[in-house]
Amino acid sequence: MRVTAPAQLLPALCVTALLAACDSSPGRTDRAFTANGHVIAMSGGAGGAANACFTCHGLDGGGDGGAAPRLAGLDAGYLQKQLDDYALGIRPDDAMTRIARALDHQDRQKVSAYYAALPLPLPAPSSGQQAPGLYLNGDGSRGVVACASCHGAEGQGSGLGGAPAIAGQPAAYTLEQIDRWKSGKRRNDPRGVMAAAVKPLSDQEARAIALWLSRQPASPAPASASASVSASAAAAARPAASRETRRPDRSDGA
């Protein structure tokens, strides 16, 4: 005997069938939006358009000249580590933590490699200004380590993941990071090297360093190494006046 559904139930059954069809291929949309690093940067990946990287960092990865830094040409290992640290809450930030958590580890790797491979923005004319003495030489009497010892004499970075290129970054961004290191809001530096390095700096000294760096042309990162190896980790292993007192909240767990 053939049984038919009452007419009043047909709309509900149709809706149920449609929902079942939608659920038949879970994750297909997410996979499409995370196909490669370029797609993730332009679409926001599984997090949606509100998380699209280009909206702050620009179509060319050059940043916005203010709070959003240049990503183009930075070390891939460094970029991936930062995204992982955002996702884990080690480098807390309202926007970036949300964005990073919407991506899995593989997606973060893809978008990091994409930005690392982008060409550098056209260099600004050199200011011809000499680097601040503290940047080049530090001040042992105050426990200030030379920034150049890890980041290079021209801010070009080391190519070792943990000591990124910092030349050509917006002064406002660099100053904000210095402030976060000093206050403990950012603590994803190996063995507390950065927190200790910037702690003795006055506001005027920090501004002078940030302004000088912002006026230096960005340069390609040296040959990349894994994110777990860094010049700052090597610096931490050296006896120095800047060695920080052991912190319970340090990101390396030591």
Side-chain angles (χ1 to χ4, degrees):
M1 182 176 67
R2 185 178 179 184
V3 179
T4 58
Q8 63 267 29
L9 292 181
L10 288 177
L13 290 173
C14 290
V15 170
T16 302
L18 287 172
L19 289 174
C22 291
D23 290 339
S24 64
S25 55
R28 181 164 55 185
T29 300
D30 286 355
R31 288 195 298 273
F33 283 111
T34 58
N36 56 56
H38 178 236
V39 171
I40 294 169
M42 297 300 118
S43 71
N51 291 341
C53 311
F54 84 91
T55 58
C56 291
H57 297 284
L59 289 170
D60 62 353
D64 66 357
R70 168 179 66 87
L71 304 181
L74 292 183
D75 178 83
Y78 171 79
L79 290 174
Q80 184 180 344
K81 182 182 186 301
Q82 301 315 301
L83 285 174
D84 289 342
D85 288 351
Y86 281 128
L88 292 170
I90 298 173
R91 183 179 175 179
D93 181 270
D94 290 342
M96 285 304 306
T97 295
R98 182 189 72 249
I99 290 167
R101 285 178 177 172
L103 303 173
D104 64 23
H105 183 78
Q106 187 176 23
D107 294 337
R108 293 176 211 138
Q109 187 176 43
K110 290 177 188 176
V111 76
S112 297
Y114 166 73
Y115 277 112
L118 286 180
L120 294 171
L122 291 175
S126 176
S127 65
Q129 293 180 337
Q130 289 188 337
L134 282 176
Y135 181 89
L136 288 177
N137 305 311
D139 183 348
S141 67
R142 296 166 52 201
V144 180
V145 173
C147 310
S149 65
C150 289
H151 295 285
E154 298 175 351
Q156 74 272 24
S158 69
L160 296 176
I166 52 179
Q169 294 288 25
Y173 170 77
T174 301
L175 277 172
E176 181 183 5
Q177 298 312 302
I178 290 174
D179 180 67
R180 290 189 179 198
W181 290 121
K182 292 176 77 170
S183 67
K185 292 179 181 178
R186 181 174 176 181
R187 49 187 175 82
N188 65 329
D189 48 332
R191 302 187 66 82
V193 169
M194 277 302 303
V198 301
K199 186 175 181 180
L201 295 180
S202 68
D203 291 344
Q204 184 177 0
E205 290 167 340
R207 279 196 300 272
I209 290 172
L211 284 172
W212 178 79
L213 285 168
S214 71
R215 294 166 181 163
Q216 303 313 301
S219 57
S224 177
S226 68
S228 62
V229 181
S230 68
S232 50
R238 297 195 303 264
S242 67
R243 185 68 62 82
E244 186 190 34
T245 303
R246 192 173 293 263
R247 299 184 308 180
D249 61 347
R250 219 164 49 190
S251 62
D252 63 351

